[in-house]
Amino acid sequence: ALPALLGASLAAAPAAAAQDGPIPFAEGLAIAVESPRSASRTLLRQDPAEFAIASGAFGTPRAGEVPSWTPAGARAGGAPRSWAAVRAGADGAFSGEPGTPAGDALAGGWVWSTVEVPEARVMLLDASGHGSVFVNGVTRGGDPYSWGFVQLPVALKAGTNEFLFSVGRGRLKARLVPAPAPAFVSAGDALVPDLVAGSDTDGPVGVVVVNASAEPLRGARVRLRSDLDDAAEWGDLHHMPALTVKKVALPSLFRAASAGKPGASRTATVELAGADGGALFAHDVALRTVAPADRRNVTRLSTVDGSVQYYAVVPSTAGRGDAIPGILYSLHGAGVEASGQAACYAPKKEAHVVCPTNRRPFGFDWEDWGRIDFAETAAHARGELPNDPMRAWLTGHSMGGHGTWQLGAHFPGEFAAIAPSAGWSSFGSYVGANAAGGK
């Protein structure tokens, strides 16, 4: 565990809590660390600060101090790396140019800051740009790609609370915000299908449930109000430990009469109920209705972990008398959503365009569970779309190009042709590391 860091000298006093409002992280100390470029692509982290934390040698950050765990060869402008005071900009984010303490640290290092509250409480850490964070010595996950929907409940103690952020993509923004309720459905990161006019839509919906309490949430249930029978809508949360977040797959059914006309939008209510049946929280999610020929998102259940995943479809324009269309599978690159990938294609008569998602926009290079996700998407799409199984093609760009090589090699009998574009050869080589794991 991270040792107590009380008494460290900051450029200014720790952020003080407004009892009912957000608490921004405006200043702190930052330090860059030397790690092999391949470290982010290995199972074992190689970070001297994290090793010092694990071994109890981390110490108390102080402005201008060179920590004892800094490798002898780590130099910045000819001087040993030291903790430097940093301050967030007007937008509330820590950032900086290369060669500055903030810029170097945010490109690969740590930012340490503190928050002071008058009494113990639970708040939501609303942060982006960090890979992980130690909160009073407890490790929590991060939002390295700054999607902005990661809010984690954290326990604050009366007095000074220490936050140590692992950063590496050039920017960190963080604040603490009050939770709307001890247990609630998050407003962010809902995953919903598009409704198709004139047809029933029965894709599952994914929503985030948060236990923003220091006590376990036991026996609670959650549902999305749709056209399913009441008994079929509820999902059991069973036991949610304190201070946890869980994305839940909820069954749903929207009859053709509920979908409305193309271009229509509607909301569906997510209800969270306690073990006694009493209402705990309610939140509306938005759905849109598209025409049968329109590009759309389709949701499905993953057999890997029971989560809701999605793929995007550009339906074929083939009509009566035309040959049965095939399926062109198109794999997205790093940072690209499947929906954005599909938006790059015009409708085609000869094929439906199906764009799977590799979990998230950055995914996992279409390897391991990404490969399974593709296989499950292909099976689902073939069951939903009229298609000629002998006419299937695979393409992708960048990370999707790498995935095209991967999937084409693993499933050589599935495709009439593959067309990789700008795909790298191996998982490790993507970040410039050689096969031995060097820089």
Side-chain angles (χ1 to χ4, degrees):
L2 185 67
L5 305 181
L6 302 182
S9 58
L10 283 174
Q19 190 65 25
D20 297 317
I23 308 170
F25 287 81
E27 54 192 27
L29 299 177
I31 191 168
V33 298
E34 300 291 332
S35 296
R37 186 152 168 74
S38 61
S40 63
R41 312 286 282 187
T42 63
L43 292 176
L44 300 176
R45 281 180 60 92
Q46 301 177 55
D47 187 295
E50 200 159 70
F51 178 77
I53 293 169
S55 62
F58 187 82
T60 300
R62 299 181 185 279
E65 181 181 71
V66 178
S68 60
W69 45 262
T70 302
R75 300 280 171 175
R81 295 196 185 278
S82 59
W83 288 104
V86 291
R87 186 179 294 273
D91 61 351
F94 295 95
S95 61
E97 296 295 324
T100 66
D104 289 346
L106 290 162
W110 297 84
V111 172
W112 181 82
S113 188
T114 60
V115 166
E116 190 165 316
V117 294
E119 58 186 27
R121 62 184 300 195
V122 174
M123 296 188 75
L124 300 178
L125 177 60
D126 180 15
S128 60
H130 61 306
S132 61
V133 57
F134 288 89
V135 182
N136 290 330
V138 177
T139 312
R140 304 301 301 270
D143 179 13
Y145 300 120
S146 296
W147 297 118
F149 51 66
V150 179
Q151 287 189 330
L152 298 180
V154 296
L156 304 179
K157 60 187 179 182
T160 304
N161 296 266
E162 303 127 2
F163 292 77
L164 182 65
F165 297 91
S166 170
V167 289
R169 296 185 67 85
R171 190 173 186 270
L172 170 68
K173 188 173 184 178
R175 62 176 186 162
L176 292 164
V177 296
F184 65 96
V185 178
S186 174
D189 203 23
L191 184 53
V192 300
D194 288 326
L195 309 185
V196 180
S199 301
D200 294 348
T201 302
D202 62 356
V205 170
V207 298
V208 176
V209 178
V210 182
N211 180 11
S213 166
E215 299 295 331
L217 180 63
R218 296 185 176 94
R221 299 192 303 161
V222 61
R223 70 170 173 180
L224 178 95
R225 294 300 300 266
S226 68
D227 294 330
L228 283 172
D229 293 336
D230 181 85
E233 291 177 326
W234 289 101
D236 290 326
L237 294 174
H238 302 293
H239 179 102
M240 277 191 71
L243 308 174
T244 56
V245 174
K246 182 177 184 179
K247 194 160 190 181
V248 184
L250 301 177
S252 72
L253 171 64
F254 296 93
R255 299 290 186 188
S258 300
K261 297 180 179 180
S265 60
R266 59 161 296 172
T267 59
T269 301
V270 182
E271 298 177 348
L272 179 63
D276 61 358
L280 296 179
F281 200 80
H283 172 67
D284 288 342
V285 296
L287 302 100
R288 66 169 188 161
T289 299
V290 300
D294 288 346
R295 183 179 73 250
R296 61 182 179 268
N297 292 341
V298 179
T299 58
R300 63 173 184 82
L301 279 179
S302 167
T303 64
V304 176
D305 55 6
S307 63
V308 179
Q309 302 296 326
Y310 90 98
Y311 60 94
V313 177
V314 181
S316 165
T317 59
R320 291 183 180 180
D322 293 323
I324 298 175
I327 298 180
L328 170 63
Y329 298 99
S330 182
L331 308 182
H332 65 78
V336 180
E337 283 276 5
S339 56
Q341 184 81 354
C344 297
Y345 286 88
K348 305 178 184 302
K349 183 167 68 174
E350 67 274 16
H352 308 285
V353 179
V354 171
C355 300
T357 185
N358 191 200
R359 288 291 156 134
R360 292 292 190 180
F362 282 84
F364 195 65
D365 288 28
W366 299 100
E367 298 188 25
D368 293 344
W369 54 81
R371 185 165 61 244
I372 298 171
D373 282 339
F374 170 84
E376 292 187 352
T377 289
H380 193 278
R382 286 169 178 163
E384 295 288 318
L385 302 169
N387 69 97
D388 180 352
M390 300 301 292
R391 304 175 69 209
W393 306 274
L394 176 67
T395 189
H397 177 72
S398 191
M399 184 179 77
H402 171 74
T404 302
W405 285 117
Q406 277 280 314
L407 296 167
H410 278 85
F411 308 121
E414 295 296 315
F415 311 108
I418 67 172
S421 170
W424 54 88
S425 61
S426 68
F427 183 72
S429 65
Y430 173 51
V431 291
N434 59 34
K439 291 185 178 180

